[in-house]
Amino acid sequence: MTEAHRRILDQLSTAVAIFTAGQRLSFYNTAYRVLWDLDTAFLDSAPTDSAVLDRLRAARKLPEQADFRKWKTEPCTRPIAPPSQRQTEWYLSGGPHASASSRRRTRKAASPICSTT
C-alpha cells in the first residue's frame, strides 16, 4: 500500500483495518482506533486478528458469544471466508452496531473492514 493510499484511508470516517495473510494488522485508520478505543501502541505492534478480538472482548466491546474461541474461527471473523459468508453484523453494547466483512485480494492478503452504522 502506498503512502498516498494510507493518507486517503486515514481520512475516511469509516473504520478500516487491513490484516496480512498471516493474520497480522498491517494498517488501521484513525476511525478504526477511535471506534474500538484501542491504544495506538497496541495497534502499531501489528497484533494478530485474534489478539485484537481478545482485547475487544476483554473491554466488553464485542457481542457476547457462547463459545468465543469457536466464534473467532468462524468465516467472517476470520478473513478467509467464502463469498457468501463475508459479512456479518455485530450488535455492540451501548447501542452502536458494526458490520464486519472481508475480501481476499489477489496477493492472498485479506482486508477485513469494520464500519459503524
Side-chain angles (χ1 to χ4, degrees), residues 82-100:
S84 64
Q85 299 174 339
R86 290 185 182 166
Q87 183 145 352
T88 190
E89 302 296 320
W90 295 349
Y91 296 93
L92 311 174
S93 62
H97 124 247
S99 175

Side-chain angles (χ1 to χ4, degrees), residues 3-82:
E3 188 57 35
H5 289 127
R6 290 177 181 278
R7 284 194 310 269
I8 289 168
L9 289 173
D10 198 45
Q11 293 176 26
L12 295 176
S13 60
T14 300
V16 177
I18 300 174
F19 291 83
T20 67
Q23 310 304 326
R24 293 214 162 261
L25 183 65
S26 65
F27 172 82
Y28 66 92
N29 66 358
T30 300
Y32 181 82
R33 183 183 53 75
V34 170
L35 169 68
W36 299 113
D37 191 29
L38 291 168
D39 180 59
T40 303
F42 170 70
L43 295 171
D44 288 345
S45 71
T48 63
D49 62 343
S50 181
V52 171
L53 291 171
D54 287 339
R55 176 81 51 112
L56 294 174
R57 180 182 187 220
R60 304 195 57 77
K61 294 183 184 219
L62 291 176
E64 288 296 323
Q65 302 297 321
D67 186 346
F68 184 72
R69 283 186 177 174
K70 181 177 181 242
W71 178 78
K72 284 196 315 182
T73 64
E74 289 176 354
C76 191
T77 309
R78 304 303 284 178
I80 308 167

